[in-house]
Amino acid sequence: MTVPLGGIPLADHAAVYATLDEAGFTDVWSSEVAGTDAFTPLALAAAWQPRLRLGTAITPVFTRGPGLLAMSAAALAEAAPGRFALGIGASSPVLVRDWNAVRFDEPFRRTRDVLRFLRAALRGETVDEVYDTFTVRRFTLERPPAVPPPILLAALRPGMLRLAGAEADGVILNWLSADDVPRALAELGERRAGFEVAARIFVCPTEDAGYARKLGRRLITSYLTVPAYADFHRWLGRDEVLAPMWEAWAAGDRRGASAAVPDEVVDALVLHGSPEQCRAEVRRYADAGVDVPVFALLPTPEVTAGGAAALTTLIAQLGTDPVGAST
């Protein structure tokens, strides 16, 4: 499950993590956009629920210096030995440049360089290296983790997917349908033993299809108009079907852009229906090659009306081992 859950203060997440654990969820994965940072919700989970596996999906490679990113990862790996996976990625110009005042230059090379730095630093090595996009002088972690965390790379298109396959311990996919998964995995090349495929999957467990599609259209127009995601979906073959959305968005017509997203695209990218139907759709991702399907739970009318009790019931319904593996 993606954490933290919206509308619930972090201080109240002890009950959320307990509910997830009781419902059979094995993993909690954080994100980092403009809400919480990636590490704090996982540090709380490490303390409150020692059985849960933890992951970041993702921590941007631009918004922390290499040394600070290594320290944050090492601290969480020390707090949860063998239970933490570090997911990194380039993020986007809006988050990096506009919100964090950092130049968004050469995202592929920066991601590759941070991956290589972290690999050495988290092993406890002294890093004294001139990389293509930054230079590190004599950095050594004072507390290298006894169990270095696996490093997963967020990847959309062939170049980054091939980098993940060649140098990372896994890949993190996002904003794709179950039918898109084989196309992405084909770019990874031959995978090493233990290589892990994670995917964030947007799930709106309500049978109010109109509500779910309206919310889904809003999310799609927010994300898939970002150049990297637009190029990703062109590569996946949605150039023609999403062209009206992109044209309306470029013209400043936000309402028209949302209206231009076809139902079939929404239904493929944002799962909705009963909890049982959503679990069945998540299983399709697992069958297509995803090892760790990560729910991103969207608000529903039922939970909004029913409060904490409805949320607890929903988590229990969703957590009935949809894939026979990590959830």
Side-chain angles (χ1 to χ4, degrees), residues 25-301:
F25 284 84
T26 61
D27 292 36
V28 289
W29 289 69
S30 62
S31 61
E32 188 167 273
V33 183
T36 63
D37 72 291
F39 293 100
T40 302
L42 300 185
L44 293 172
W48 289 336
Q49 287 299 326
R51 291 196 303 179
L52 290 174
R53 184 178 182 232
L54 320 170
T56 61
I58 58 156
T59 306
V61 298
F62 285 98
T63 53
R64 292 176 181 81
L68 178 58
L69 181 52
M71 286 186 288
S72 299
L76 195 47
E78 182 178 345
R83 294 191 294 118
F84 170 57
L86 175 64
I88 62 171
S91 190
S92 73
V94 170
L95 195 154
V96 173
R97 182 191 61 214
D98 298 350
W99 297 352
N100 283 282
V102 177
R103 294 174 61 180
F104 189 76
D105 294 339
E106 301 186 89
F108 175 85
R109 297 169 79 191
R110 172 78 179 199
T111 303
R112 180 202 61 199
D113 292 348
V114 170
L115 172 63
R116 292 174 178 176
F117 164 80
L118 288 170
R119 181 75 74 201
L122 291 169
R123 287 196 298 256
E125 298 175 9
T126 296
V127 182
D128 191 5
E129 188 75 40
V130 177
Y131 297 93
D132 287 346
T133 58
F134 58 85
T135 298
V136 173
R137 291 301 185 199
R138 298 175 297 281
F139 176 84
T140 310
L141 280 170
E142 292 182 5
R143 299 169 69 100
V147 182
I151 304 173
L152 282 70
L153 186 62
L156 297 176
R157 288 184 292 155
M160 202 73 84
L161 287 163
R162 287 193 289 267
L163 176 63
E167 299 194 29
D169 300 307
V171 66
I172 299 170
L173 307 174
N174 192 25
W175 274 114
L176 80 174
S177 73
D179 291 335
D180 295 327
V181 170
R183 176 84 184 269
L185 298 189
E187 298 294 334
L188 294 171
E190 186 176 351
R191 282 174 265 171
R192 300 177 302 282
F195 188 94
E196 198 162 37
V197 177
R200 174 162 281 119
I201 304 165
F202 292 91
V203 179
C204 187
T206 178
E207 296 185 71
D208 185 341
Y211 170 90
R213 286 172 177 156
K214 182 178 179 180
L215 178 57
R217 283 188 173 88
R218 188 162 70 244
L219 288 170
I220 287 168
T221 52
S222 297
Y223 276 88
L224 303 193
T225 53
V226 174
Y229 282 105
D231 289 342
F232 176 48
H233 280 269
R234 290 188 182 98
W235 177 67
L236 289 173
R238 295 195 175 92
D239 196 351
E240 184 175 345
V241 73
L242 289 179
M245 179 194 74
W246 291 320
E247 290 167 4
W249 186 270
D253 182 2
R254 302 300 188 249
R255 185 173 298 178
S258 180
V261 183
D263 284 351
E264 59 266 27
V265 173
V266 180
D267 296 347
L269 299 177
V270 179
L271 309 185
H272 58 91
S274 69
E276 293 77 15
Q277 289 171 319
C278 290
R279 290 206 318 270
E281 289 300 308
V282 169
R283 178 176 289 281
R284 293 186 62 234
Y285 283 83
D287 292 342
V290 172
D291 302 305
V292 188
V294 183
F295 287 75
L297 188 61
L298 300 176
T300 68

